[in-house]
Amino acid sequence: MPLAAKAAGFAKKVIQFGELLQGNILYPVPHRQYVFSIPIMLRLFFKYDRKLLTKLCRCAYDSLFIFLQNAVGLEDGRPGAVMTIHTFGDYAEKFHPHIHALVSDGLFRETGTFYVTPKIDLEPLEDIFRANVFKMLKDEGKIDDDVINKLMSWRHSGFSVHNGVRVARDNEKGKEALSQYIIRNTFSLEKLTYNEETNTVIYRSKMTHGKNKKNFQIYTAKEFIAAITQHIPEKSFQMVRYYGWYSNKSRGIRKKQGIVKPGDQPVEEAENIEII
């Protein structure tokens, strides 16, 4: 199948995914996008042991769970989170494992009451995430205390957490667009130009990189194919994961109660979601 046809097919899936989340998963509450990144020094572990990507995703959610519970002050509350595993950055040749997450901007109680997260500093979340990743990699035998101490001694450890994108509860188009963004393709056809005479691929970006501040990269055809194929997930690997209020288990329980779609209530409890 031609590359353009495959890209078009994936683009259709992206649209369908956005519609699925908006119509069947996300509740009518404010949401934020979180991005969890790790140091370059640790990324090769995830390239050659792909099961670690699942554990990285779990580290991100567990960190969020603890952080938001403390921020909101609600021990029995849970966020709703849809997390996607990315292995690419702006240019495909670099293996850059990180997590994009669409997360309720607050916590749900089992009653359906939603408590909005106050404005808070993300530094504690980054610290929790770093500690969880260190523990996970040490338990997996990938790093030891010397590596941990080395990274901890750096002024900037290479771990980062961002959540600057927020969508309001009634911004359905915004939530759908963000849902589509978090599962975007490894590359964009609009940014790609193929030169048949030189057998090279020029890939352009809005971002600038390196000392020369260029906004493009040139590949041979083989180099470009090698760059994008390293991001193909293993067979049956789940790139999208649901946690907390949005987990498959939680949604299954609510479905048995007669809550089929976000915002529905059990027949015996005809109430609207209360946002505090």
Side-chain angles (χ1 to χ4, degrees), residues 234-250:
E234 295 178 352
K235 186 177 181 180
S236 301
F237 185 81
Q238 297 296 317
M239 301 296 287
V240 181
R241 296 172 185 271
Y242 303 88
Y243 294 101
W245 189 257
Y246 295 156
S247 69
N248 293 336
K249 180 179 179 180
S250 294

Side-chain angles (χ1 to χ4, degrees), residues 75-145:
E75 292 185 357
D76 62 342
R78 291 181 296 156
V82 181
M83 294 189 157
T84 59
I85 301 169
H86 288 217
T87 58
F88 56 91
D90 210 45
Y91 294 107
E93 78 271 11
K94 294 182 179 180
F95 194 84
H96 175 27
H98 59 289
I99 306 298
H100 282 259
L102 183 54
V103 184
S104 61
D105 197 21
L107 301 179
F108 293 93
R109 300 186 79 172
E110 291 304 321
T111 58
T113 304
F114 183 76
Y115 294 77
V116 178
T117 306
K119 188 175 181 179
I120 44 176
D121 180 14
L122 285 183
E123 187 174 346
L125 174 56
E126 186 177 305
D127 292 342
I128 298 169
F129 177 59
R130 180 177 60 221
N132 282 341
V133 173
F134 280 158
K135 182 180 184 305
M136 180 270 290
L137 290 176
K138 185 177 179 180
D139 290 345
E140 291 291 322
K142 304 298 183 182
I143 61 175
D144 55 22
D145 288 336

Side-chain angles (χ1 to χ4, degrees), residues 138-186:
K138 185 177 179 180
D139 290 345
E140 291 291 322
K142 304 298 183 182
I143 61 175
D144 55 22
D145 288 336
D146 289 340
V147 174
I148 294 174
N149 291 333
K150 180 179 181 179
L151 285 168
M152 289 294 292
S153 69
W154 293 355
R155 182 177 179 183
H156 300 291
S157 69
F159 287 90
S160 67
V161 181
H162 299 286
N163 74 342
V165 179
R166 186 180 192 268
V167 289
R169 61 171 298 190
D170 56 352
N171 186 355
E172 296 183 0
K173 289 186 177 180
K175 282 185 279 190
E176 186 172 328
L178 195 52
S179 301
Q180 295 170 359
Y181 175 78
I182 66 174
I183 64 159
R184 68 189 187 280
N185 206 347
T186 307

